Amino acid sequence: MDDADDIYMRSWTGTVIGPNNSVHEGRIYTVKLYCDKDYPERPPTVRFHSRINMHCVNQETGVVEPKHFPLLAQWRREHTMETILTELRREMASGHNRKIQQPPEGSTF
């Protein structure tokens, strides 16, 4: 949780460790998740704090774009924040993302 004063527990920080056998291997990525009042009926907003090049991530803002990330596009209330982080890691290892050149480690949006 990001803010101890947030009594609705809407703002969270997650961590994704880059998958083996990819350009992400060994990297640690910080992800911000924001759950508005409609969560869990609607997905949280997901934004990378760590700079990353992935097909589903807006390169200006770091926001994971639902239209390019099926889990968010086809959200079900059974999904959890853990599910989102796991699927992001799986997406990093996918054929179209595992070899894309990455920004310098430690850079942020």
Side-chain angles (χ1 to χ4, degrees):
M1 199 166 103
D2 280 344
D3 181 0
D5 294 329
D6 179 8
I7 63 170
Y8 296 107
M9 298 180 3
R10 291 187 172 163
S11 185
W12 295 83
T13 299
T15 301
V16 179
I17 298 172
N20 294 335
N21 302 315
S22 74
V23 295
H24 307 284
E25 185 171 358
R27 288 185 174 212
I28 299 173
Y29 296 96
T30 303
V31 180
K32 301 288 187 173
L33 301 104
Y34 180 77
C35 305
D36 71 12
K37 62 181 177 57
D38 295 325
Y39 179 83
E41 297 303 323
R42 297 216 179 249
T45 300
V46 182
R47 183 181 65 81
F48 274 87
H49 178 69
S50 305
R51 191 164 282 282
I52 187 170
N53 290 330
M54 282 176 59
H55 176 69
C56 62
V57 177
N58 181 302
Q59 291 305 299
E60 298 296 319
T61 64
V63 171
V64 177
E65 297 179 342
K67 66 183 176 184
H68 297 299
F69 190 62
L71 182 77
L72 296 180
Q74 300 163 10
W75 183 256
R76 296 191 321 240
R77 80 176 277 118
E78 297 84 32
H79 294 274
T80 65
M81 286 184 255
E82 180 183 7
T83 309
I84 294 168
L85 298 173
T86 301
E87 287 302 309
L88 284 171
R89 188 170 194 268
R90 189 178 323 234
E91 186 68 17
M92 288 176 191
S94 69
H96 56 277
N97 285 315
R98 76 169 175 247
K99 295 183 180 181
I100 297 175
Q101 184 176 350
Q102 294 301 308
E105 198 164 352
S107 57
T108 59
F109 282 101

